[in-house]
Amino acid sequence: MVLEMSTGMIRGLGTVVVFVAFIGLTLWVFSSKRGPEFAQARLLPFADEPPADLATPQDPATRSTRP
């Protein structure tokens, strides 16, 4: 018996594979075990900024570039 793979069958299998990957990724992202790791990653954009208490205060009059 020869199993013939039509274009529709290949596309259908591809859809099933992508759907299973989507469900797996969704479960991984919303897993409660990942909470602390994502909480730390949420702060990464601010990692290179100095803390607010160590920042040097600037005179507001010198920050303007308008004449």
Side-chain angles (χ1 to χ4, degrees):
M1 181 167 125
V2 176
L3 181 63
E4 185 177 325
M5 296 288 279
S6 66
T7 305
M9 177 70 86
I10 293 171
R11 288 181 179 174
L13 289 174
T15 302
V16 169
V17 168
V18 169
F19 181 71
V20 169
F22 175 77
I23 295 298
L25 183 64
T26 302
L27 291 174
W28 177 77
V29 166
F30 290 108
S31 172
S32 61
K33 291 186 231 177
R34 315 255 355 140
E37 184 178 336
F38 286 141
Q40 183 181 8
R42 213 175 8 245
L43 299 174
L44 282 176
F46 307 109
D48 60 344
E49 294 181 5
D53 58 339
L54 296 179
T56 57
Q58 295 180 353
D59 185 15
T62 59
R63 291 191 341 197
S64 177
T65 58
R66 290 185 170 175

Coordinates of all heavy atoms in Angstrom, one line a residue:
M1 N 0.8 -1.2 0.0 CA 0.0 0.0 0.0 C 0.9 1.2 0.0 O 1.8 1.4 0.8 CB -0.9 0.0 1.2 CG -1.8 1.2 1.3 SD -3.0 0.9 2.6 CE -2.8 2.3 3.5
V2 N 0.6 2.1 -0.9 CA 1.4 3.3 -1.1 C 0.6 4.5 -0.5 O -0.5 4.7 -0.8 CB 1.8 3.6 -2.5 CG1 2.5 4.9 -2.7 CG2 2.6 2.5 -3.1
L3 N 1.2 5.2 0.4 CA 0.6 6.4 1.0 C 1.0 7.6 0.2 O 2.1 8.0 0.2 CB 1.0 6.5 2.5 CG 0.4 7.7 3.3 CD1 -1.1 7.5 3.4 CD2 0.9 7.8 4.7
E4 N 0.0 8.2 -0.4 CA 0.3 9.4 -1.2 C 0.0 10.6 -0.4 O -1.0 10.8 0.2 CB -0.7 9.4 -2.4 CG -0.4 10.5 -3.4 CD -1.3 10.4 -4.6 OE1 -1.6 9.3 -5.0 OE2 -1.7 11.5 -5.1
M5 N 1.1 11.5 -0.3 CA 1.0 12.7 0.5 C 0.6 13.9 -0.5 O 1.4 14.3 -1.3 CB 2.3 13.1 1.1 CG 2.8 12.1 2.2 SD 1.8 12.2 3.6 CE 2.6 13.6 4.4
S6 N -0.6 14.3 -0.4 CA -1.0 15.4 -1.2 C -0.6 16.8 -0.5 O -0.2 16.8 0.6 CB -2.5 15.4 -1.4 OG -3.2 15.6 -0.1
T7 N -0.8 17.8 -1.3 CA -0.4 19.1 -0.8 C -1.3 19.5 0.4 O -0.8 20.1 1.4 CB -0.6 20.2 -1.9 OG1 0.2 19.8 -3.0 CG2 -0.1 21.6 -1.4
G8 N -2.6 19.1 0.3 CA -3.5 19.4 1.4 C -3.1 18.7 2.7 O -3.2 19.2 3.8
M9 N -2.6 17.5 2.6 CA -2.2 16.7 3.7 C -1.0 17.3 4.4 O -0.9 17.4 5.6 CB -1.9 15.2 3.3 CG -1.4 14.4 4.4 SD -2.7 14.0 5.7 CE -3.4 12.6 4.9
I10 N 0.0 17.7 3.6 CA 1.2 18.3 4.1 C 0.9 19.6 4.8 O 1.4 19.9 5.9 CB 2.2 18.5 3.0 CG1 2.7 17.2 2.5 CG2 3.4 19.4 3.5 CD1 3.5 17.3 1.2
R11 N 0.0 20.4 4.2 CA -0.4 21.7 4.9 C -1.1 21.4 6.2 O -1.0 22.1 7.2 CB -1.2 22.5 3.9 CG -0.5 23.1 2.8 CD -1.4 23.9 1.9 NE -0.6 24.5 0.8 CZ -1.1 25.2 -0.2 NH1 -2.4 25.4 -0.2 NH2 -0.4 25.7 -1.1
G12 N -2.0 20.4 6.2 CA -2.7 20.1 7.4 C -1.8 19.6 8.5 O -1.9 20.0 9.7
L13 N -0.8 18.8 8.2 CA 0.2 18.4 9.2 C 1.0 19.5 9.7 O 1.3 19.6 10.9 CB 1.1 17.3 8.6 CG 0.4 15.9 8.4 CD1 1.4 15.0 7.7 CD2 0.0 15.3 9.7
G14 N 1.4 20.5 8.8 CA 2.1 21.7 9.2 C 1.3 22.5 10.2 O 1.8 23.0 11.1
T15 N 0.0 22.6 9.9 CA -0.9 23.4 10.8 C -1.0 22.7 12.2 O -1.0 23.4 13.2 CB -2.3 23.5 10.2 OG1 -2.2 24.1 8.9 CG2 -3.3 24.2 11.0
V16 N -1.1 21.4 12.2 CA -1.1 20.7 13.5 C 0.2 20.9 14.3 O 0.2 21.1 15.5 CB -1.4 19.2 13.3 CG1 -1.2 18.4 14.5 CG2 -2.8 19.0 12.7
V17 N 1.3 20.9 13.6 CA 2.6 21.0 14.3 C 2.7 22.5 14.8 O 3.1 22.7 16.0 CB 3.8 20.8 13.3 CG1 5.1 21.2 13.9 CG2 3.8 19.3 13.0
V18 N 2.3 23.5 14.1 CA 2.3 24.8 14.6 C 1.4 25.0 15.7 O 1.7 25.7 16.7 CB 2.1 25.8 13.4 CG1 1.9 27.2 13.9 CG2 3.2 25.8 12.4
F19 N 0.2 24.4 15.6 CA -0.8 24.6 16.7 C -0.3 23.9 18.0 O -0.4 24.5 19.1 CB -2.1 23.9 16.3 CG -3.2 24.0 17.3 CD1 -3.8 25.2 17.6 CD2 -3.6 22.9 18.0 CE1 -4.8 25.3 18.6 CE2 -4.6 23.0 19.0 CZ -5.2 24.2 19.3
V20 N 0.3 22.8 17.9 CA 0.9 22.1 19.1 C 2.0 22.9 19.7 O 2.1 23.1 20.9 CB 1.4 20.7 18.8 CG1 2.2 20.1 19.9 CG2 0.2 19.8 18.4
A21 N 2.9 23.5 18.8 CA 3.9 24.4 19.3 C 3.4 25.6 20.0 O 3.9 26.1 21.1 CB 4.9 24.8 18.2
F22 N 2.3 26.2 19.5 CA 1.6 27.4 20.1 C 1.1 27.0 21.5 O 1.3 27.8 22.4 CB 0.5 27.9 19.2 CG -0.3 29.0 19.8 CD1 0.3 30.3 19.8 CD2 -1.5 28.8 20.3 CE1 -0.5 31.3 20.4 CE2 -2.3 29.8 20.8 CZ -1.7 31.1 20.9
I23 N 0.4 25.9 21.6 CA -0.1 25.5 22.9 C 1.0 25.2 23.9 O 0.9 25.7 25.0 CB -1.0 24.2 22.7 CG1 -2.2 24.5 21.8 CG2 -1.4 23.7 24.0 CD1 -3.2 25.6 22.4
G24 N 2.1 24.6 23.4 CA 3.2 24.3 24.3 C 3.8 25.6 24.8 O 4.2 25.8 26.0
L25 N 4.0 26.6 23.9 CA 4.6 27.9 24.3 C 3.7 28.6 25.2 O 4.2 29.3 26.2 CB 4.9 28.7 23.0 CG 5.6 30.0 23.2 CD1 7.0 29.8 23.8 CD2 5.7 30.8 21.9
T26 N 2.4 28.6 25.0 CA 1.4 29.3 25.8 C 1.5 28.7 27.2 O 1.5 29.4 28.2 CB 0.0 29.2 25.3 OG1 0.0 29.7 23.9 CG2 -1.0 29.9 26.1
L27 N 1.5 27.4 27.4 CA 1.6 26.7 28.7 C 2.9 27.1 29.4 O 3.0 27.3 30.6 CB 1.4 25.2 28.5 CG 0.1 24.7 28.1 CD1 0.1 23.2 27.9 CD2 -1.0 25.1 29.2
W28 N 4.0 27.2 28.6 CA 5.3 27.5 29.2 C 5.3 28.9 29.7 O 5.8 29.2 30.8 CB 6.4 27.3 28.2 CG 7.8 27.7 28.6 CD1 8.6 27.0 29.4 CD2 8.5 28.9 28.3 NE1 9.8 27.7 29.6 CE2 9.7 28.9 28.9 CE3 8.2 30.0 27.5 CZ2 10.6 29.9 28.8 CZ3 9.1 31.0 27.3 CH2 10.3 30.9 28.0
V29 N 4.8 29.9 29.0 CA 4.8 31.3 29.3 C 3.9 31.5 30.6 O 4.3 32.2 31.5 CB 4.3 32.2 28.2 CG1 4.0 33.6 28.6 CG2 5.4 32.2 27.1
F30 N 2.7 30.9 30.6 CA 1.8 31.2 31.7 C 2.0 30.2 32.9 O 1.1 30.2 33.8 CB 0.4 31.2 31.2 CG 0.1 32.3 30.3 CD1 -0.1 32.2 29.0 CD2 0.0 33.6 30.9 CE1 -0.3 33.3 28.2 CE2 -0.3 34.7 30.1 CZ -0.4 34.6 28.7
S31 N 3.0 29.4 32.9 CA 3.3 28.5 34.0 C 3.7 29.3 35.3 O 4.4 30.3 35.2 CB 4.4 27.6 33.7 OG 4.8 26.8 34.8
S32 N 3.1 28.9 36.4 CA 3.4 29.6 37.7 C 4.8 29.4 38.1 O 5.3 30.2 38.9 CB 2.4 29.2 38.8 OG 2.6 27.8 39.0
K33 N 5.5 28.4 37.6 CA 6.9 28.2 38.0 C 7.8 29.3 37.4 O 8.9 29.5 37.9 CB 7.4 26.8 37.5 CG 6.8 25.7 38.2 CD 7.4 24.4 37.7 CE 6.4 23.4 37.3 NZ 7.0 22.2 36.8
R34 N 7.4 29.9 36.3 CA 8.2 30.8 35.6 C 8.1 32.3 36.1 O 8.8 33.2 35.7 CB 7.9 30.8 34.1 CG 7.7 29.5 33.5 CD 8.7 28.9 32.7 NE 9.9 29.6 32.2 CZ 11.1 29.0 32.2 NH1 11.2 27.8 32.6 NH2 12.1 29.7 31.7
G35 N 7.2 32.5 37.1 CA 6.9 33.8 37.6 C 8.1 34.6 38.1 O 8.4 35.7 37.7
P36 N 8.9 34.0 39.0 CA 10.1 34.7 39.4 C 11.1 35.1 38.3 O 11.7 36.1 38.3 CB 10.8 33.8 40.5 CG 9.7 32.9 40.9 CD 8.8 32.8 39.7
E37 N 11.3 34.2 37.4 CA 12.2 34.4 36.3 C 11.7 35.6 35.4 O 12.5 36.4 35.0 CB 12.4 33.2 35.4 CG 13.4 33.3 34.3 CD 13.6 32.0 33.6 OE1 13.3 30.9 34.1 OE2 14.0 32.1 32.4
F38 N 10.4 35.6 35.1 CA 9.9 36.7 34.3 C 9.9 38.0 35.1 O 10.0 39.1 34.5 CB 8.5 36.3 33.8 CG 8.5 35.3 32.7 CD1 7.6 34.3 32.7 CD2 9.5 35.3 31.7 CE1 7.6 33.4 31.6 CE2 9.5 34.4 30.7 CZ 8.5 33.4 30.7
A39 N 9.7 37.9 36.4 CA 9.7 39.2 37.2 C 11.1 39.8 37.1 O 11.2 41.0 37.1 CB 9.3 38.9 38.7
Q40 N 12.1 39.0 37.2 CA 13.5 39.5 37.0 C 13.7 40.1 35.6 O 14.3 41.1 35.4 CB 14.5 38.5 37.4 CG 15.9 38.9 37.4 CD 16.9 37.8 37.7 OE1 16.5 36.6 37.8 NE2 18.1 38.1 37.8
A41 N 13.3 39.4 34.6 CA 13.5 39.8 33.2 C 12.7 41.1 32.9 O 13.1 41.8 32.1 CB 13.0 38.7 32.3
R42 N 11.6 41.3 33.6 CA 10.8 42.5 33.4 C 11.6 43.8 33.7 O 11.3 44.8 33.2 CB 9.6 42.4 34.3 CG 8.4 43.0 33.7 CD 7.1 42.9 34.5 NE 7.2 42.3 35.8 CZ 6.6 41.1 36.2 NH1 6.0 40.4 35.3 NH2 6.7 40.6 37.4
L43 N 12.6 43.7 34.6 CA 13.4 44.8 35.0 C 14.6 45.0 34.2 O 15.4 46.0 34.4 CB 13.7 44.7 36.5 CG 12.5 44.6 37.5 CD1 13.0 44.3 38.9 CD2 11.7 45.9 37.4
L44 N 14.9 44.2 33.3 CA 16.1 44.3 32.5 C 16.3 45.6 31.7 O 17.4 46.1 31.6 CB 16.2 43.1 31.5 CG 16.7 41.8 32.1 CD1 16.7 40.7 31.1 CD2 18.1 41.9 32.7
P45 N 15.2 46.2 31.2 CA 15.4 47.5 30.5 C 15.9 48.6 31.4 O 16.5 49.5 30.9 CB 14.0 47.8 29.9 CG 13.3 46.5 29.8 CD 13.8 45.7 31.0
F46 N 15.8 48.4 32.6 CA 16.2 49.5 33.6 C 17.5 49.1 34.3 O 18.0 49.8 35.1 CB 15.1 49.7 34.7 CG 13.8 50.0 34.1 CD1 12.8 49.0 34.2 CD2 13.5 51.1 33.4 CE1 11.5 49.3 33.6 CE2 12.3 51.4 32.9 CZ 11.3 50.5 33.0
A47 N 18.2 48.1 33.8 CA 19.4 47.6 34.5 C 20.5 48.6 34.4 O 21.4 48.7 35.3 CB 19.8 46.2 34.0
D48 N 20.6 49.3 33.3 CA 21.8 50.2 33.1 C 21.5 51.6 33.6 O 22.4 52.4 33.6 CB 22.1 50.3 31.6 CG 21.0 50.8 30.7 OD1 19.9 50.8 31.2 OD2 21.3 51.2 29.6
E49 N 20.4 51.9 34.2 CA 20.1 53.2 34.7 C 20.6 53.2 36.2 O 20.4 52.3 36.9 CB 18.6 53.5 34.7 CG 18.0 53.6 33.3 CD 16.6 53.9 33.3 OE1 16.0 54.1 34.4 OE2 16.0 54.0 32.2
P50 N 21.1 54.4 36.6 CA 21.5 54.5 38.0 C 20.3 54.6 38.9 O 19.3 55.1 38.5 CB 22.4 55.8 38.0 CG 21.9 56.6 36.9 CD 21.5 55.6 35.8
P51 N 20.4 54.1 40.1 CA 19.3 54.3 41.0 C 18.9 55.7 41.2 O 19.7 56.6 41.1 CB 19.8 53.7 42.3 CG 21.0 52.8 42.0 CD 21.5 53.4 40.7
A52 N 17.6 56.0 41.6 CA 17.1 57.4 41.7 C 17.9 58.2 42.8 O 18.1 59.4 42.6 CB 15.6 57.4 41.9
D53 N 18.2 57.5 43.9 CA 18.9 58.2 45.0 C 20.3 58.6 44.7 O 20.9 59.5 45.3 CB 18.8 57.4 46.3 CG 19.4 56.1 46.1 OD1 19.6 55.6 45.0 OD2 19.8 55.5 47.2
L54 N 20.9 57.9 43.7 CA 22.3 58.2 43.3 C 22.4 59.2 42.1 O 23.5 59.7 41.8 CB 23.1 57.0 43.0 CG 23.2 56.0 44.2 CD1 24.0 54.7 43.7 CD2 24.0 56.6 45.3
A55 N 21.3 59.4 41.5 CA 21.3 60.3 40.3 C 21.6 61.8 40.8 O 21.1 62.2 41.8 CB 20.0 60.3 39.6
T56 N 22.4 62.5 40.0 CA 22.8 63.8 40.4 C 21.6 64.7 40.0 O 21.2 64.7 38.8 CB 24.0 64.3 39.7 OG1 23.9 64.1 38.3 CG2 25.2 63.5 40.1
P57 N 21.1 65.6 40.9 CA 20.0 66.5 40.5 C 20.5 67.6 39.6 O 21.7 68.1 39.7 CB 19.6 67.1 41.9 CG 20.7 66.9 42.8 CD 21.5 65.7 42.3
Q58 N 19.7 67.9 38.6 CA 20.1 68.9 37.6 C 19.2 70.2 37.8 O 18.1 70.0 38.2 CB 19.9 68.4 36.2 CG 20.9 67.3 35.9 CD 20.7 66.8 34.4 OE1 19.7 67.3 33.8 NE2 21.5 65.9 34.0
D59 N 19.8 71.3 37.6 CA 19.0 72.6 37.7 C 18.1 72.6 36.5 O 18.5 72.6 35.3 CB 20.0 73.7 37.6 CG 19.3 75.1 37.9 OD1 18.1 75.0 38.3 OD2 19.9 76.1 37.6
P60 N 16.7 72.7 36.7 CA 15.8 72.8 35.6 C 16.0 73.9 34.7 O 15.7 73.8 33.5 CB 14.4 72.9 36.3 CG 14.7 72.7 37.7 CD 16.1 72.8 38.0
A61 N 16.6 75.0 35.1 CA 16.8 76.2 34.2 C 17.9 75.9 33.2 O 17.9 76.5 32.1 CB 17.2 77.4 35.0
T62 N 18.8 75.0 33.4 CA 19.9 74.7 32.5 C 19.5 73.6 31.5 O 20.3 73.3 30.6 CB 21.2 74.3 33.2 OG1 20.9 73.1 34.0 CG2 21.6 75.4 34.1
R63 N 18.4 72.9 31.7 CA 18.1 71.8 30.8 C 17.3 72.3 29.6 O 17.3 71.6 28.6 CB 17.2 70.8 31.6 CG 18.0 70.1 32.6 CD 17.3 68.9 33.2 NE 15.8 68.9 33.0 CZ 15.0 68.1 33.7 NH1 15.4 67.4 34.6 NH2 13.7 68.1 33.4
S64 N 16.8 73.5 29.6 CA 16.0 74.0 28.4 C 17.0 74.4 27.3 O 18.0 75.0 27.5 CB 15.2 75.1 28.8 OG 14.5 75.7 27.7
T65 N 16.6 74.1 26.1 CA 17.4 74.5 24.9 C 16.7 75.7 24.2 O 17.2 76.1 23.2 CB 17.6 73.3 23.9 OG1 16.3 72.9 23.5 CG2 18.4 72.2 24.6
R66 N 15.6 76.1 24.6 CA 14.9 77.3 24.0 C 15.6 78.6 24.4 O 16.1 78.7 25.5 CB 13.5 77.3 24.5 CG 12.7 76.2 23.9 CD 11.2 76.4 24.3 NE 10.4 75.4 23.6 CZ 9.1 75.3 23.8 NH1 8.5 76.1 24.7 NH2 8.4 74.4 23.1
P67 N 15.6 79.5 23.5 CA 16.3 80.8 23.8 C 15.4 81.7 24.7 O 14.3 81.5 24.9 CB 16.4 81.5 22.4 CG 15.6 80.7 21.5 CD 15.3 79.4 22.1

